[in-house]
Amino acid sequence: MSIKREACDRWFSNVVRLKAKYACESCGAVNVRTECAHIYGRREKSVRWSMDNAVCLCHKCHRKFTENPLDFAYWVNSYLGEGHMNILNEKRNVLLKTNQALRKEIATHYRLEYKKMVEDEHYSPVSYN
Ligand SMILES: [Zn+2]
């Protein structure tokens, strides 16, 4: 069952993928369809829009990892490292109650971050949380 993607998800995905320069962070493929892959699934609201919880993957790698969650966990841990995973796990435990207004705020946040990245290639996007 899929979860509906909203403006906040689309802008978040745009920022995650642009940050990776639209290259797959697993296999390195470029000029392919890229997707925003969540480490903890999108049902985990606390980290759904956290940059620490997402990577840019090509469609092939995303599907392969979705079908093989243990491979994904192994790759994520080695790719991001223990420090990153500790921070992510702490964020995961902070409850984020969402409503329409907050989602709109998140969409605006990532829309502006995206704009800054487009205007300055060295700009490093700031995560909402
Ligand atoms: Zn790939």
Side-chain angles (χ1 to χ4, degrees):
M1 200 179 76
S2 65
I3 304 175
K4 195 180 142 220
R5 282 178 180 81
E6 305 166 43
C8 47
D9 297 306
R10 286 196 304 273
W11 283 111
F12 176 69
S13 168
N14 287 342
V15 168
V16 166
R17 291 180 301 122
L18 177 56
K19 186 180 174 222
K21 296 183 166 34
Y22 303 103
C24 177
E25 293 185 64
S26 177
C27 74
V30 289
N31 299 320
V32 291
R33 175 177 149 194
T34 53
E35 296 167 354
C36 170
H38 285 79
I39 293 159
Y40 290 116
R42 288 186 298 137
R43 276 183 184 76
E44 305 251 359
K45 296 277 166 40
S46 54
V47 288
R48 179 165 171 171
W49 302 283
S50 172
M51 303 278 299
D52 291 327
N53 188 44
V55 289
C56 174
L57 295 178
C58 72
H59 179 69
K60 264 182 160 176
C61 285
H62 198 182
R63 191 179 54 194
K64 182 189 77 183
F65 281 146
T66 302
E67 287 167 2
N68 302 280
L70 287 177
D71 289 345
F72 187 49
Y74 182 83
W75 176 76
V76 156
N77 276 297
S78 56
Y79 178 66
L80 298 173
E82 198 184 338
H84 182 117
M85 293 309 292
N86 288 341
I87 290 167
L88 175 57
N89 285 320
E90 277 174 29
K91 286 184 177 183
R92 188 188 182 200
N93 291 327
V94 179
L95 183 73
L96 182 73
K97 279 206 82 182
T98 69
N99 54 36
Q100 199 67 32
L102 185 81
R103 284 162 188 256
K104 201 177 166 188
E105 183 184 309
I106 294 168
T108 301
H109 171 82
Y110 282 113
R111 184 169 51 77
L112 294 175
E113 289 303 297
Y114 183 83
K115 190 167 176 268
K116 288 178 197 170
M117 292 169 81
V118 168
E119 286 167 359
D120 174 7
E121 64 174 319
H122 302 295
Y123 180 75
S124 188
V126 176
S127 184
Y128 179 77
N129 65 345

